[in-house]
Amino acid sequence: GAGVSQSPSNKVTEKGKDVELRCDPISGHTALYWYRQSLGQGLEFLIYFQGNSAPDKSGLPSDRFSAERTGGSVSTLTIQRTQQEDSAVYLCASSLVQGAGTEAFFGQGTRLTVV
Amino acid sequence: SQQGEEDPQALSIQEGENATMNCSYKTSINNLQWYRQNSGRGLVHLILIRSNEREKHSGRLRVTLDTSKKSSSLLITASRAADTASYFCAMPYGQNFVFGPGTRLSVLP
């Protein structure tokens, strides 16, 4: 596709349920990043992938959060047993190569609301 | 932590005026990026400035970088209502990059 695509764009879930958020990066981009943004706040780094591997998982807030990437393309972020504090916009970005000196392209995010 | 600090947190100006936002960081960097976010959704890359550059222009945007003061500024000239957004600086942190808390700019018609 022309840009980074995230789905769903909005998700309302009940506390305790599991959710899966999907990110389709730009074709050919090897690096993929997940961030979380609470209302009116900055971006909180969660995890990044270089290819299918995730060298840095330090940002995942708890063991309820996990992510995978397959085929060097699509990534899913899974939140198990959701809590109300998980409510946020989850943003995915990809870049052509991995490294902080490259431009990142962002999707429109998934707004997660846990009720 | 490398997370930057931006100021002001919020800025409100009249259309046609210039807007200046600042970003400070803690450790040495080899580049810094600025992004814009409309309506709390996806971010759009504006400009990247490298440590060996002091100033860079893109249309109505001007970015400066002062590595001795560990700070950068984003100037938007002749602002328009459509410039209303949140602006974030992003800087390297390991193989990743981290964002400052952002400046919320409101341009009033």
Side-chain angles (χ1 to χ4, degrees):
Chain A
V4 178
S5 177
Q6 291 187 246
S7 61
S9 55
N10 289 283
K11 175 72 176 178
V12 180
T13 190
E14 291 182 352
K15 179 181 170 181
K17 300 281 189 186
D18 298 352
V19 294
E20 260 191 18
L21 312 180
R22 176 186 169 109
C23 174
D24 274 285
I26 293 173
S27 178
H29 279 195
T30 61
L32 185 147
Y33 310 83
W34 282 99
Y35 291 86
R36 178 171 72 172
Q37 186 179 32
S38 300
L39 186 64
Q41 302 298 309
L43 276 72
E44 175 189 3
F45 167 73
L46 297 178
I47 190 171
Y48 87 90
F49 289 89
Q50 175 58 29
N52 291 335
S53 66
D56 187 355
K57 302 181 181 179
S58 63
L60 294 176
S62 77
D63 58 9
R64 296 186 295 105
F65 286 71
S66 63
E68 64 174 15
R69 188 179 185 194
T70 55
S73 181
V74 172
S75 176
T76 54
L77 177 68
T78 302
I79 309 173
Q80 295 178 310
R81 305 181 303 281
T82 52
Q83 304 293 312
Q84 287 186 329
E85 61 263 27
D86 299 334
S87 296
V89 175
Y90 289 80
L91 292 162
C92 173
S94 70
S95 61
L96 187 58
V97 294
Q98 179 260 333
T102 55
E103 177 184 350
F105 294 82
F106 280 80
Q108 289 302 298
T110 293
R111 186 180 301 280
L112 175 65
T113 304
V114 182
V115 297
Chain B
S1 166
Q2 174 60 301
Q3 187 165 359
E5 298 284 334
E6 282 144 342
D7 76 273
Q9 289 186 341
L11 179 61
S12 187
I13 59 173
Q14 296 290 326
E15 212 166 18
E17 294 181 339
N18 296 342
T20 300
M21 290 157 270
N22 303 295
C23 171
S24 59
Y25 54 92
K26 295 180 180 176
T27 63
S28 296
I29 58 174
N30 55 24
N31 68 83
L32 184 143
Q33 304 185 51
W34 284 90
Y35 287 80
R36 183 183 73 202
Q37 183 182 40
N38 288 42
S39 305
R41 290 299 217 173
L43 279 73
V44 174
H45 181 264
L46 295 176
I47 201 163
L48 181 152
I49 187 166
R50 302 195 186 279
S51 59
N52 60 353
E53 299 173 306
R54 294 183 64 98
E55 189 170 308
K56 202 162 181 179
H57 297 253
S58 176
R60 293 183 296 111
L61 306 180
R62 183 186 129 209
V63 167
T64 62
L65 180 63
D66 187 333
T67 54
S68 65
K69 294 181 180 177
K70 293 187 170 59
S71 67
S72 174
S73 67
L74 170 66
L75 168 69
I76 304 174
T77 60
S79 63
R80 304 167 182 169
D83 295 328
T84 295
S86 291
Y87 292 83
F88 295 88
C89 62
M91 59 224 81
Y93 183 67
Q95 295 301 310
N96 187 19
F97 46 98
V98 293
F99 290 79
T103 294
R104 189 161 47 251
L105 173 66
S106 298
V107 181
L108 307 174

